[in-house]
Amino acid sequence: MIHYKFSKDINKEFSDLLKVRVNEYFRTNKLQKKANFEMFCKSALALSLYLIPYFIILFAGITNVPTLFVLWILMGFGISFIGTSIMHDALHGAYSNNKLVNSIMGFSAALLGVDPTMWKIQHNVLHHTYTNIEDADEDIEPRFVLRFSPHQPKRWFHEFQHLYVWFFYSMSTVIWITAKDFVKLFKYREKGFVKAGSDFRKKLMFIAFRKASYFAFFLVLPIVMLDIPVGTTLLMFFTMHFVAGMSLSLIFQPAHVIETSNFIEQDEEWINENWSVHQILTTTNFAMKSKFIYWFSGGLNFQLEHHLFPNICHVHYPAISKILQKTTSEFNLPYHAKKTFLGAIYAHYKMLKDLGASSPVSVEKPVKLAA
């Protein structure tokens, strides 16, 4: 992997002015950039949506299968809510100025069966730094059956990926809680993100322990305690993850794989653009006026603001968006946003369809696939 570097001169005035204005907003309004009371309430609600149904399942003596399915589905939404509203901010260091608090809140990853270290490397280091850059951003990494960039090889079945992609999205958290963290650990050792030797063995041991604890608590225990067939409990467990995987994918994927997204493939290490503007050219917001989407998605419908200021808690994104829109307008830069959540999903669907129909391109400058 090439360690790409962004220009420090191109659009420097924009980047500097944006930072000044955002810092001035917090200073003028005497606000902290981290979590506030709204965030604490949201955290409590997210954990409750996940854990309360779980304890009801275990201890309420419910044997009605449809009722149990509803409770597991609620847990699936709880996984998504925790992932976007607690884990995401905590692992970005955006929850608190106190590292210990971020670590404690980041422990919510373990409740979801995810290893926080592997997540931070993939998301914070690779995706946020090298957004939509081929062979660097693993979020658009070709997965053989899926094609997320116009630079990637096209296979005959990609013509149907807009139809079958939803199955793979629903399987995303199942893959993560089973194999993904182990695969990433070995991959990151090869790339140098994880040191070989004792550091690697220690991380491998922790991942294995967390996975075992997760499955013991959230699968084995219900199998033992519930007076229903094991197969039914397994089906409910995986239904929970189908719900979580689909909802998380529908929040994250439309932000970068959409008709307004730029994609880069080049051999040179220098990117001919400022990092901040690169984020603007590769990222799209959606449903900015929907309070429900904002709450449930952990503010990730304000994806532009998140990518530019990942260390600021998401409760501040709506206010920052006004500053960003003003500044991009002054510098004649785009501010991509879809009006609705369904509009963003449709645009992503259409992009996948276009990618399945088009031939690969190979260029050294950013390109945009026409809608």
Side-chain angles (χ1 to χ4, degrees), residues 82-102:
I82 291 172
T84 58
S85 297
I86 303 177
M87 185 188 101
H88 191 258
D89 275 48
L91 296 184
H92 268 295
Y95 200 99
S96 170
N97 286 317
N98 188 310
K99 290 184 178 180
L100 178 60
V101 173
N102 283 321

Side-chain angles (χ1 to χ4, degrees), residues 275-344:
W275 178 85
S276 296
V277 174
H278 173 78
Q279 298 303 316
I280 289 171
L281 297 176
T282 56
T283 308
T284 301
N285 287 1
F286 56 85
M288 294 169 60
K289 294 183 179 181
S290 172
K291 292 184 179 180
F292 173 77
I293 297 296
Y294 159 70
W295 247 71
F296 184 76
S297 71
L300 293 178
N301 56 324
F302 291 89
Q303 192 76 199
L304 279 159
E305 290 70 24
H306 169 61
H307 265 256
L308 290 167
F309 301 99
N311 296 323
I312 295 178
C313 184
H314 75 263
V315 294
H316 304 293
Y317 292 165
I320 293 175
S321 72
K322 297 175 183 177
I323 301 171
L324 179 56
Q325 289 179 68
K326 179 182 183 216
T327 311
T328 52
S329 177
E330 290 174 2
F331 283 82
N332 198 29
L333 291 169
Y335 184 95
H336 298 303
K338 295 295 181 182
K339 290 184 179 180
T340 65
F341 183 42
L342 290 178

Side-chain angles (χ1 to χ4, degrees), residues 22-306:
V22 170
N23 287 331
E24 182 62 25
Y25 163 77
F26 284 99
R27 188 164 44 249
T28 301
N29 292 280
K30 298 180 180 179
L31 296 172
Q32 293 291 323
K33 294 181 179 179
K34 307 301 181 180
N36 56 16
F37 183 71
E38 176 189 343
M39 184 63 175
F40 301 143
C41 292
K42 184 181 289 191
S43 299
L45 181 60
L47 289 168
S48 298
L49 185 60
Y50 184 50
L51 295 177
I52 289 178
Y54 173 72
F55 288 115
I56 291 175
I57 288 168
L58 288 186
F59 301 113
I62 299 172
T63 56
N64 182 269
V65 173
T67 301
L68 290 171
F69 261 104
V70 170
L71 291 169
W72 282 98
I73 288 170
L74 286 175
M75 289 180 66
F77 285 115
I79 289 174
S80 181
F81 201 4
I82 291 172
T84 58
S85 297
I86 303 177
M87 185 188 101
H88 191 258
D89 275 48
L91 296 184
H92 268 295
Y95 200 99
S96 170
N97 286 317
N98 188 310
K99 290 184 178 180
L100 178 60
V101 173
N102 283 321
S103 296
I104 292 172
M105 301 310 292
F107 181 74
S108 59
L111 291 176
L112 311 183
V114 173
D115 182 77
T117 302
M118 297 302 102
W119 188 92
K120 285 195 285 187
I121 294 174
Q122 176 179 333
H123 187 77
N124 295 5
V125 177
L126 297 176
H127 171 62
H128 268 264
T129 306
Y130 308 114
T131 311
N132 280 16
I133 299 178
E134 201 69 35
D135 299 321
D137 180 4
E138 292 187 354
D139 280 21
I140 62 163
E141 190 175 57
R143 293 161 173 82
F144 186 76
V145 294
L146 296 173
R147 185 175 187 239
F148 287 134
S149 161
H151 303 292
Q152 295 167 2
K154 180 183 176 299
R155 299 176 175 87
W156 66 267
F157 46 79
H158 288 150
E159 186 174 351
F160 307 100
Q161 69 171 1
H162 60 291
L163 301 176
Y164 62 69
V165 68
W166 316 107
F167 168 76
F168 290 100
Y169 283 171
S170 70
M171 290 290 292
S172 58
T173 60
V174 173
I175 294 170
W176 205 312
I177 64 173
T178 53
K180 187 172 182 176
D181 283 326
F182 293 107
V183 173
K184 293 296 182 184
L185 179 63
F186 283 89
K187 183 177 182 178
Y188 294 152
R189 180 181 62 174
E190 294 177 3
K191 289 189 173 184
F193 293 115
V194 175
K195 295 180 181 178
S198 60
D199 183 52
F200 171 80
R201 291 191 294 271
K202 181 179 178 181
K203 285 182 170 56
L204 179 60
M205 180 185 67
F206 274 124
I207 291 174
F209 175 76
R210 289 188 181 111
K211 299 292 183 189
S213 300
Y214 173 77
F215 280 106
F217 198 69
F218 288 100
L219 181 57
V220 176
L221 196 57
I223 287 175
V224 172
M225 294 187 66
L226 295 180
D227 189 22
I228 59 174
V230 173
T232 303
T233 303
L234 284 168
L235 181 59
M236 291 188 290
F237 175 82
F238 285 113
T239 298
M240 171 185 73
H241 275 286
F242 295 156
V243 171
M246 182 64 76
S247 56
L248 285 168
S249 295
L250 293 182
I251 289 171
F252 281 99
Q253 289 300 95
H256 302 291
V257 183
I258 205 166
E259 79 276 4
T260 53
S261 304
N262 277 16
F263 298 86
I264 292 178
E265 181 186 54
Q266 64 180 52
D267 296 326
E268 293 77 12
E269 67 174 12
W270 282 99
I271 302 293
N272 193 34
E273 186 53 271
N274 178 280
W275 178 85
S276 296
V277 174
H278 173 78
Q279 298 303 316
I280 289 171
L281 297 176
T282 56
T283 308
T284 301
N285 287 1
F286 56 85
M288 294 169 60
K289 294 183 179 181
S290 172
K291 292 184 179 180
F292 173 77
I293 297 296
Y294 159 70
W295 247 71
F296 184 76
S297 71
L300 293 178
N301 56 324
F302 291 89
Q303 192 76 199
L304 279 159
E305 290 70 24
H306 169 61

